[in-house]
Amino acid sequence: MRLHYQRANPDVGGESLLLRFEDVVDDRVACLLVNSGRGVSVDELLDESRGEYLAGIIINNAHPEYYCTLGENVREETPIYAAPDTATILAEACSAPLRDIEHPDAILTQLATVDTWTQLVRGVQLHPLPVGHAPGAAGFLLEISEEADAHTLFVADECTIRRAAGYSGIGLDLPVAIDSLVLSGATADPFAPALTETLSIVCERAREDATVLVTADEPTGIHAAYLLGHLGKRLGSPFPITVTGRTATLCEQLGYSIPNVTRLPDAPPEKVLTPGTVAIAEPDAPVQGPAGQLFEALADDPEAAVLRLTRGVATPITAAQCMVQSFPWHNYPDPETLATVVEALAPVQVVLAERPTPEAERLHLPDSFVWSIDDDLVYTLYDGTDWVAPAEIDPDAAQHIRQRATAYHDEPTPSEYELSLPLPVRTGTIDFAAEGLDVEVIQERLLPAESPDGSWRHRAPNDEDVASHDANSAASVLRTGERRVRPRRSMPHYKPSENRSITSNRSLRDKYIRQASSMLVMTCAYSVCKIHQRRSNTDKTSPSS
């Protein structure tokens, strides 16, 4: 058996790859597509003259970019493998009235839910494993058997140790040895501080009696609703949250029961958008679907706030009087966490689906050899005898690393062991720390120094707190393990019958700064648009040279 690897769309999205299993099925080459992402064409990838055929497709998670071309690439008799809850989200995307995916009936026919060992082709089986990252997301452990040998390849893709809306992160103590670990290679600055900051702003705007619309794709919307609902309960000051569209339907289908969250899939805007509440709708760009309808209803409200949770580059929206902000929702591991995962699983070979960041390049992984692939060439990962090392790896060092894998090849395969492997399922209890959310930081930012029942905050700010913030304001970017020091702002305890008031000059100053910043951004964007328009008009009217 020989195993080859090719990235399917490195220049467009980067979330897809093709695995080729040679000499497994007679004279044919069985191919496995991992995610059917942006710009992927199976017809262009496969070489039928070499006997290549599509044996299966696996979908790691239900972010739309992971399945957006699935309808174009689905084939008869070619199963689409997904973990149970990813399959649920995918099926809902294909069944919804406003479908944005081609050939949904063919997808539903071929969709196969996987929760145990499942055969891809003779000698190749797959099993889902938790990887965190997003609700229902899963990696796939592939077991490749030939004669007396067995090999394992773990396609983890985007993974986190953190939970994601209750779903477990990647396991660091798997009861099976991993030969090759395939990762997306995507890393980011620590996600936990950005998550805490983003949800703080959502809570803050709701507490100021603004009408708040949060836009996101379905998995991210579920993730945000889960954390915001439980956060309101924890703070003792819940605000109503309404989830609409497919996100609402999926919350019910996945069995979520979230405090302070109401599910209204088809509610009109006037029933969802009220001051002091948060509405969550898809997609992240509020130009269509439920998010588009709600955005249109509040676009002229200068007191409203639209907060976009985006996974990629957000297209600016300037034609609105409401405040529009975009927050990157990059739930990836930081380089140190990625190293922790690799060291814990101890694979012989690591394949990163892009060039690592400078920080990741500095990581030392002496027990594995690492492929970093940023093109669409075909690379051989296993040559029939050994796991292949990159050319820059010293041959003696590579052989020393490979020797670790030979000890268990004569043992029964993982599927024969009938090991109890973890599944991507949700836990029943909220754990803010495991989710990466720092509740204490949010309490210090949002809640008043004094409250009637004393449940909101343990102590009032003092002069040392403010001095500490002023002295460290230049170091406002969090590093792993550090705690942010923010100015304590006194905020009023609102009652329905009371007029809104601001009890602190600091709060008033901060509010005006936020408003001025928003106006400045909108003014700059408008000016840029006018300049481009004038240049375009000039080009049209001036004679060509």
Side-chain angles (χ1 to χ4, degrees):
M1 186 278 300
R2 284 175 289 178
L3 174 63
H4 310 282
Y5 171 102
Q6 180 183 14
R7 293 190 65 186
N9 59 345
D11 299 325
V12 182
E15 60 279 309
S16 302
L17 59 95
L18 189 73
L19 297 174
R20 292 177 170 88
F21 299 88
E22 195 172 351
D23 298 331
V24 172
V25 183
D26 299 327
D27 295 330
R28 306 184 71 190
V29 180
C31 299
L32 176 65
L33 179 65
V34 179
N35 302 314
S36 189
R38 292 162 283 188
V40 172
S41 172
V42 167
D43 291 335
E44 296 179 3
L45 289 169
L46 299 184
D47 185 353
E48 294 183 355
S49 66
R50 296 185 62 250
E52 295 181 356
Y53 75 101
L54 190 63
I57 303 172
I58 62 176
I59 303 298
N60 284 115
N61 64 64
H63 290 301
E65 64 268 25
Y66 273 63
Y67 61 81
C68 58
T69 58
L70 191 53
E72 303 166 25
N73 294 314
V74 66
R75 300 288 186 271
E76 281 190 44
E77 309 302 327
T78 299
I80 302 168
Y81 300 108
D85 289 350
T86 293
T88 297
I89 300 174
L90 185 55
E92 176 61 26
C94 293
S95 305
L98 297 176
R99 295 178 293 203
D100 49 8
I101 187 170
E102 294 186 17
H103 307 298
D105 293 337
I107 294 174
L108 292 173
T109 300
Q110 300 304 121
L111 186 59
T113 299
V114 182
D115 59 5
T116 186
W117 285 107
T118 301
Q119 180 173 290
L120 174 66
V121 294
R122 187 182 69 247
V124 181
Q125 299 192 81
L126 51 86
H127 190 292
L129 294 175
V131 291
H133 177 65
F140 284 87
L141 177 65
L142 275 65
E143 174 193 274
I144 308 163
S145 304
E146 52 175 357
E147 298 178 354
D149 287 346
H151 312 281
T152 54
L153 181 142
F154 183 15
V155 183
D157 192 59
E158 294 178 346
C159 65
T160 62
I161 298 176
R162 287 183 301 275
R163 290 184 184 178
Y167 288 85
S168 301
I170 189 171
L172 301 181
D173 54 352
L174 296 177
V176 58
I178 304 297
D179 287 331
S180 182
L181 176 63
V182 177
L183 300 166
S184 73
T187 59
D189 293 332
F191 177 69
L195 174 67
T196 300
E197 175 76 8
T198 299
L199 298 192
S200 294
I201 293 173
V202 175
C203 295
E204 186 176 39
R205 296 296 290 161
R207 285 282 309 279
E208 293 173 348
D209 281 347
T211 302
V212 182
L213 171 62
V214 175
T215 66
D217 65 28
E218 292 90 333
T220 303
I222 294 170
H223 198 168
Y226 176 83
L227 294 176
L228 286 169
H230 285 287
L231 180 61
K233 181 179 179 181
R234 170 68 177 272
L235 296 178
S237 176
F239 45 84
I241 301 169
T242 302
V243 182
T244 68
R246 288 202 297 255
T247 306
T249 302
L250 288 167
C251 281
E252 183 174 0
Q253 292 181 355
L254 298 179
Y256 276 101
S257 179
I258 309 173
N260 312 315
V261 172
T262 302
R263 301 186 296 264
L264 297 175
D266 302 313
E270 60 270 16
K271 192 172 182 179
V272 175
L273 301 174
T274 56
T277 66
V278 175
I280 300 177
E282 79 283 338
D284 67 314
V287 295
Q288 60 182 348
Q293 296 173 6
L294 297 179
F295 176 72
E296 184 178 359
L298 57 73
D300 295 332
D301 181 1
E303 297 296 325
V306 177
L307 309 176
R308 302 174 58 191
L309 308 183
T310 63
R311 285 177 41 80
V313 178
T315 303
I317 296 177
T318 57
Q321 295 186 37
C322 63
M323 182 190 76
V324 181
Q325 289 180 284
S326 296
F327 298 91
W329 193 274
H330 295 162
N331 193 11
Y332 307 130
D334 56 60
E336 290 75 16
T337 301
L338 191 66
T340 298
V341 171
V342 173
E343 291 171 0
L345 299 181
V348 174
Q349 180 186 73
V350 178
V351 183
L352 301 178
E354 61 182 39
R355 292 292 176 186
T357 61
E359 293 79 6
E361 287 182 336
R362 288 195 291 268
L363 298 177
H364 185 50
L365 302 172
D367 296 327
S368 306
F369 40 79
V370 180
W371 287 91
S372 297
I373 299 173
D374 62 354
D375 55 46
D376 61 356
L377 300 179
V378 178
Y379 293 84
T380 299
L381 299 185
Y382 187 79
D383 62 6
T385 303
D386 293 313
W387 292 98
V388 178
E392 61 268 19
I393 301 294
D394 179 76
D396 292 336
Q399 188 58 32
H400 175 73
I401 292 173
R402 292 189 190 101
Q403 288 175 353
R404 294 189 295 105
T406 61
Y408 55 84
H409 280 171
D410 294 332
E411 300 177 359
T413 62
S415 60
E416 291 174 342
Y417 263 128
E418 296 185 357
L419 295 172
S420 178
L421 294 175
L423 290 171
V425 295
R426 192 174 73 253
T427 58
T429 306
I430 180 70
D431 185 332
F432 291 108
E435 295 277 349
L437 191 64
D438 193 331
V439 178
E440 290 187 3
V441 169
I442 297 178
Q443 285 178 317
E444 292 170 358
R445 173 168 178 163
L446 297 179
L447 302 180
E450 299 177 359
S451 60
D453 58 5
S455 63
W456 288 356
R457 181 137 154 217
H458 297 295
R459 67 178 180 87
N462 53 44
D463 294 337
E464 293 181 1
D465 293 328
V466 178
S468 176
H469 167 71
D470 293 338
N472 294 282
S473 58
S476 61
V477 178
L478 279 173
R479 296 185 295 273
T480 304
E482 293 184 340
R483 179 178 172 185
R484 185 172 221 160
V485 181
R486 300 191 61 88
R488 273 71 168 182
R489 293 185 292 163
S490 299
M491 295 191 66
H493 174 53
Y494 295 114
K495 294 182 180 179
S497 60
E498 292 179 341
N499 293 326
R500 295 176 57 190
S501 62
I502 300 177
T503 61
S504 168
N505 289 333
R506 184 180 294 273
S507 290
L508 184 61
R509 182 197 67 186
D510 290 348
K511 180 177 180 181
Y512 287 158
I513 289 175
R514 286 197 306 273
Q515 293 177 346
S517 299
S518 299
M519 292 298 297
L520 179 61
V521 170
M522 294 176 63
T523 302
C524 291
Y526 177 81
S527 299
V528 170
C529 291
K530 295 297 291 183
I531 291 172
H532 281 293
Q533 184 179 8
R534 289 172 183 171
R535 288 179 176 176
S536 177
N537 293 337
T538 301
D539 293 340
K540 292 178 181 178
T541 56
S542 60
S544 58
S545 56

